[in-house]
Amino acid sequence: MVQLAVVEGVLERITYANEENGYTVARVDTGRGSGDLLTVVGSLLGAQPGESLRLEGRWGSHPQYGRQFTVENYTTVLPATIQGIRRYLGSGLIKGVGPRIADRIVSHFGTDTLDIIEKEPARLIEVPGLGPKRTRSIGAAWEEQKAIKEVMLFLQGVGVSTSIAVRIYKKYGDASISVTRNQPYRLAVDVWGIGFLTADRIAQSVGIPHDSPDRVKAGLQYALSQSADQGHCFLPEEQLIADAVKLLQVDTGLVIDCLAELASDDHGEDGAGVVRENVPGPDGGEPVTAVYLVPFHRAELSLAGQLTRLLRAGEDRLAAFHDVDWDKALAWLSGRTGAELAAEQQQAVRLALTSKVAVLTGGPGCGKSFTVRSVVELARAKKAKVVLAAPTGRAAKRLSELTGAEASTVHRLLELKPGGDAAYDRDRPLDADLVVVDEASMLDLLLANKLVKAVPPGAHLLFVGDVDQLPSVGAGEVLRDLLADGSPVPAVRLTRIFRQAQQSGVVTNAHRINSGVPPITQGLADFYLFAEEDTEEAGRLTVDVAARRIPAKFGLDPRRDVQVLAPMHRGPAGAGTLNGLLQQAVTPARPDLPERRFGGRVFRVGDKVTQIRNNYEKGRNGVFNGTVGVVTALDAVEQKLSVRTDEDEDVDYDFDELDELAHAYAVTIHRSQGSEYPAVVIPVTMGAWMMLQRNLLYTAVTRAKKLVVLVGSRRALGQAVRTVSAGRRCTALDHRLFTSGGGGVRL
């Protein structure tokens, strides 16, 4: 066995880090005094610039970068010299200690500094300018760093990232190593960012058998949660068993036995386990045995029941509209708004104000917005309490501008709390006579259930959205299920495109795409195609169009007004790659611009970012998946980054929470739902051929208010227009609504 070489030095900077596998390229000062830095490659999970490291590995040479050291493993070594200690403390490693405070501490204690912080942290009060509060916080930060390091060293062998180690420590504290070693599958349930595959790697490394029932149960729940991430509320039992056997590489019989145990468990308050139930097959075919994770089964039953309860409520908070003189009311409305409603818009207005639950759907340019404004105007004329909501901050802002009334996100309306419970529910309903929810295609099953629970009996609920757009990011197809044949919920579909909208190339082409007809890409002032067959070139051209050409020709701000919408995240024209290129073009590195590296990303003041998980503990009422903002401040000493969100709220992130943020110069089309932008740029390449579907392209085009630029292949564009989305999601809400009684009205 070849003995590993040993190198000691100070980590100067990390030049590249892959957040998925931990592979890092770094520069290390070995203290030889020549000023040359050694290039080090390998897994350096958890190492921070400024730390003294003892590296074990092998020497090698790179054809382009020359001599380098490949790390097999490393340990942190506390520096021994005054200069080393000063540099180590001032590196930003310890929250609350920057270069100036580090200088004061080291000047006072000299080479004993680290010993004193370790053994007698209360003595830091002796340092001029350090009060009791700062002294305590430095001691606590030092202890936390030590504990996290221990957890990281334990997890290093199984490739767990720094941010995940921090989360494990924050969840379990001193019990972190014990839980990780003895109950690794708990991590997949308890810790955001750890899925079954990571927990399984850890389990194998600590000796848990391949055929352990705990492993098989965790694998079954993982397969169901993966299907929920793809939009399904359940999986047919046969498919779930086949998926689990393939995932786990165990006998079918063992999977069947473990599934039976999961289904027979007492689900309790935490909703662990699964539920099996027979439901109709796709398109009314043979029944299938559906297997649900408990929260989705409870939500589907509850949502169907709550909608039925609202529809059948004896009281009516808008009873005044049952005997209204509609000709007179509509004439009054026309005087207020300066425009007349078309016949189908009039039907929609009457339906919303006379039916307890109703749906308004239709494509762009068909007058949904004006119809909603008309409903709100009439309801307010009768002194009704109107509550307006939408799933995203941008959509809520737009709804507010349209109606002249306050609108909020659904999350803020319900005042969701840590854990996801809402302040408003069936026991404490909203104070509302009419609730209007815009962009309802974005409502997933869990959020729709929380919302409908909070609508008081007798109030009216109007869902507004375009059913031809992509369904929600979360599980379910709520709007489509409400519009299914046999649904008891009445609906109006607006189909007439108004003359003014017909003059818009964006609106015209959206309807062409939705009808399976290729868009017009020549001779329009607001819709362009830059043809480029090569996927990599199309990616580069997308960046040039978004960052330079559109701002130059149309005077639009590349950060605020232009949004790149990619069919997928990966690949040369995917959102991930494009974000890196767009950041270089729009917010390049400058000596005076603060920045912070986290994993494979660098965050700078001025960056456009998006939240990628629901965090109920941030902001006034939580910050939710899809919230967009701009980085406004970065404090290396306090280790905080601040974001101004599109809901005009300032939200702080500790540096160890930066895995909740991603850059948003480019986002996937799925993540853009509910938002509108002055201009959108859409790469359409054969590299994304698996994702090229009509409703995906239609959704992207309908995000634009003024301008659409497609970049890529005519062949890919043709495929997207021709390809109808394959199959429905697995959901039984339509069946539950149908069996609750009463066919619906379709206008």
Side-chain angles (χ1 to χ4, degrees):
M1 188 174 173
V2 181
Q3 192 168 359
L4 296 176
V6 176
V7 169
E8 291 195 359
V10 176
L11 180 60
E12 281 290 324
R13 63 178 178 271
I14 293 171
T15 54
Y16 170 79
N18 183 313
E19 59 194 296
E20 290 179 8
N21 60 22
Y23 179 80
T24 305
V25 179
R27 304 279 279 163
V28 170
D29 183 354
T30 55
R32 293 186 178 161
S34 62
D36 290 342
L37 299 177
L38 171 66
T39 298
V40 171
V41 299
S43 180
L44 283 172
L45 289 167
Q48 298 286 353
E51 287 187 303
S52 296
L53 304 178
R54 185 177 191 275
L55 309 164
E56 293 185 335
R58 293 178 171 80
W59 288 101
S61 184
H62 188 279
Q64 187 175 347
Y65 302 112
R67 185 170 159 80
Q68 62 184 32
F69 190 77
T70 301
V71 178
E72 296 283 326
N73 49 66
Y74 82 91
T75 52
T76 305
V77 183
L78 292 178
T81 66
I82 283 190
Q83 185 186 359
I85 294 168
R86 183 180 282 117
R87 194 172 177 190
Y88 175 70
L89 269 189
S91 66
L93 182 72
I94 298 168
K95 194 172 182 177
V97 179
R100 280 187 305 173
I101 288 180
D103 204 40
R104 276 192 228 155
I105 295 172
V106 177
S107 297
H108 190 79
F109 293 117
T111 52
D112 295 332
T113 295
L114 299 181
D115 264 351
I116 282 164
I117 296 176
E118 168 81 30
K119 296 170 185 163
E120 303 175 85
R123 283 190 61 195
L124 289 169
I125 196 83
E126 297 171 20
V127 178
L130 281 194
K133 188 176 174 187
R134 179 64 64 90
T135 299
R136 281 195 302 273
S137 73
I138 292 171
W142 178 270
E143 284 301 313
E144 185 172 82
Q145 271 300 326
K146 262 181 29 192
I148 290 171
K149 280 279 183 226
E150 276 183 50
V151 175
M152 272 193 277
L153 286 171
F154 175 72
L155 294 174
Q156 198 167 3
V158 289
V160 175
S161 72
T162 312
S163 58
I164 296 299
V166 170
R167 287 191 187 284
I168 290 173
Y169 178 75
K170 283 193 169 179
K171 179 71 182 175
Y172 303 117
D174 293 341
S176 296
I177 291 175
S178 168
V179 171
T180 304
R181 183 179 281 128
N182 300 315
Q183 299 170 281
Y185 293 109
R186 257 183 77 185
L187 303 178
V189 177
D190 292 349
V191 183
W192 178 75
I194 295 190
F196 170 79
L197 299 179
T198 303
D200 202 35
R201 263 205 322 271
I202 296 168
Q204 284 176 24
S205 75
V206 298
I208 288 179
H210 188 69
D211 58 356
S212 155
D214 283 348
R215 177 174 184 263
V216 177
K217 287 179 188 177
L220 281 161
Q221 290 180 300
Y222 169 72
L224 283 172
S225 68
Q226 284 291 98
S227 74
D229 289 346
Q230 291 158 10
H232 300 298
C233 298
F234 67 81
L235 276 183
E237 185 175 45
E238 287 182 11
Q239 185 183 335
L240 173 60
I241 291 168
D243 288 354
V245 167
K246 186 177 174 186
L247 169 73
L248 299 164
Q249 298 292 298
V250 295
D251 290 343
T252 305
L254 177 59
V255 171
I256 291 170
D257 290 345
C258 287
L259 179 57
E261 274 185 52
L262 271 176
S264 65
D265 284 351
D266 176 15
H267 301 135
E269 280 300 307
D270 61 356
V274 301
V275 175
R276 290 193 289 196
E277 183 187 352
N278 285 343
V279 301
D283 302 317
E286 287 296 308
V288 298
T289 301
V291 185
Y292 288 82
L293 288 170
V294 171
F296 294 102
H297 186 258
R298 285 178 178 167
E300 201 173 79
L301 279 174
S302 169
L303 179 54
Q306 300 295 342
L307 286 166
T308 305
R309 169 182 69 92
L310 290 177
L311 283 163
R312 293 178 178 169
E315 59 189 293
D316 189 343
R317 290 178 173 231
L318 296 180
F321 286 99
H322 284 291
D323 52 9
V324 78
D325 182 332
W326 282 102
D327 289 339
K328 198 172 168 183
L330 293 169
W332 174 87
L333 185 64
S334 175
R336 282 275 292 180
T337 60
E340 288 198 15
L341 292 167
E344 58 186 15
Q345 290 177 304
Q346 291 181 21
Q347 289 175 332
V349 169
R350 291 172 74 156
L351 185 68
L353 295 170
T354 57
S355 177
K356 308 275 180 45
V357 185
V359 177
L360 170 61
T361 190
C366 292
K368 282 198 310 293
S369 296
F370 188 64
T371 307
V372 170
R373 183 183 158 193
S374 301
V375 169
V376 172
E377 287 277 5
L378 282 169
R380 284 160 77 187
K382 294 287 187 184
K383 303 288 188 283
K385 289 174 183 166
V386 180
V387 169
L388 305 171
T392 67
R394 281 177 183 243
K397 251 184 190 171
R398 198 171 64 243
L399 184 59
S400 184
E401 288 160 8
L402 165 75
T403 58
E406 189 183 342
S408 70
T409 62
V410 176
H411 295 96
R412 291 206 189 290
L413 175 68
L414 300 178
E415 292 179 17
L416 291 183
K417 296 196 166 93
D421 291 329
Y424 292 94
D425 56 19
R426 190 166 178 175
D427 296 326
R428 188 197 173 198
L430 296 162
D431 182 15
D433 303 318
L434 170 66
V435 178
V436 179
V437 190
D438 200 6
E439 294 288 354
S441 61
M442 290 185 67
L443 282 178
D444 62 50
L445 174 67
L446 299 181
L447 187 58
N449 178 47
K450 286 186 171 79
L451 171 67
V452 175
K453 259 194 216 175
V455 178
H460 288 223
L461 174 60
L462 175 63
F463 294 100
V464 183
D466 184 347
V467 74
D468 294 321
Q469 286 181 27
L470 289 168
S472 56
V473 175
E477 251 180 327
V478 173
L479 187 62
R480 194 175 294 277
D481 284 339
L482 292 175
L483 289 164
D485 289 342
S487 165
V489 179
V492 172
R493 182 169 191 138
L494 303 180
T495 55
R496 176 188 158 191
I497 306 171
F498 287 89
R499 190 165 45 218
Q500 188 180 353
Q502 287 171 3
Q503 293 162 8
S504 158
V506 175
V507 171
T508 301
N509 278 335
H511 285 278
R512 287 175 69 93
I513 291 164
N514 202 29
S515 305
V517 180
I520 299 161
T521 56
Q522 289 178 313
L524 296 172
D526 61 353
F527 202 103
Y528 299 84
L529 168 65
F530 285 75
E532 174 53 66
E533 289 298 321
D534 182 76
T535 298
E536 214 159 305
E537 275 305 313
R540 282 195 282 270
L541 183 53
T542 297
V543 172
D544 191 45
V545 166
R548 298 181 190 89
R549 298 195 193 192
I550 289 177
K553 182 174 174 64
F554 296 96
L556 296 174
D557 182 288
R559 188 185 288 111
R560 186 186 63 239
D561 301 328
V562 183
Q563 184 62 55
V564 174
L565 302 179
M568 54 198 289
H569 184 77
R570 295 178 186 275
T577 300
L578 294 178
N579 262 318
L581 296 172
L582 284 160
Q583 185 192 34
Q584 286 172 29
V586 179
T587 317
R590 296 196 320 260
D592 62 330
L593 191 67
E595 64 175 45
R596 170 72 181 185
R597 176 176 286 280
F598 188 93
R601 302 184 181 118
V602 177
F603 292 99
R604 299 188 183 114
V605 170
D607 268 340
K608 185 176 181 179
V609 292
T610 182
Q611 175 83 7
I612 58 172
R613 68 172 285 228
N614 288 345
N615 186 332
Y616 297 97
E617 296 177 10
K618 282 209 166 300
R620 288 189 301 273
N621 288 111
V623 180
F624 300 96
N625 189 354
T627 299
V628 174
V630 173
V631 178
T632 53
L634 202 154
D635 186 332
V637 175
E638 292 304 320
Q639 300 187 10
K640 273 190 176 12
L641 174 149
S642 299
V643 173
R644 180 79 167 173
T645 73
D646 55 7
E647 294 176 54
D648 299 322
E649 183 178 6
D650 292 307
V651 180
D652 289 337
Y653 292 80
D654 288 339
F655 282 173
D656 61 22
E657 297 176 315
L658 293 182
D659 57 346
E660 295 190 18
L661 290 176
H663 292 104
Y665 300 98
V667 298
T668 61
I669 296 166
H670 278 89
R671 291 189 71 82
S672 74
Q673 289 170 264
S675 293
E676 261 192 358
Y677 316 94
V680 301
V681 184
I682 310 164
V684 186
T685 68
M686 290 308 290
W689 69 273
M690 288 281 290
M691 298 293 291
L692 294 176
Q693 294 174 351
R694 187 181 299 168
N695 62 349
L696 191 84
L697 183 59
Y698 173 74
T699 299
V701 168
T702 55
R703 300 306 87 212
K705 286 194 273 195
K706 297 176 184 171
L707 175 69
V708 170
V709 181
L710 305 176
V711 180
S713 144
R714 292 184 191 279
R715 190 158 65 102
L717 178 59
Q719 173 161 318
V721 172
R722 285 192 305 273
T723 307
V724 178
S725 173
R728 289 284 308 276
R729 292 179 167 188
C730 292
T731 142
L733 178 62
D734 54 349
H735 156 69
R736 298 186 198 282
L737 284 168
F738 179 71
T739 54
S740 67
V745 180
R746 293 289 175 268
L747 300 171

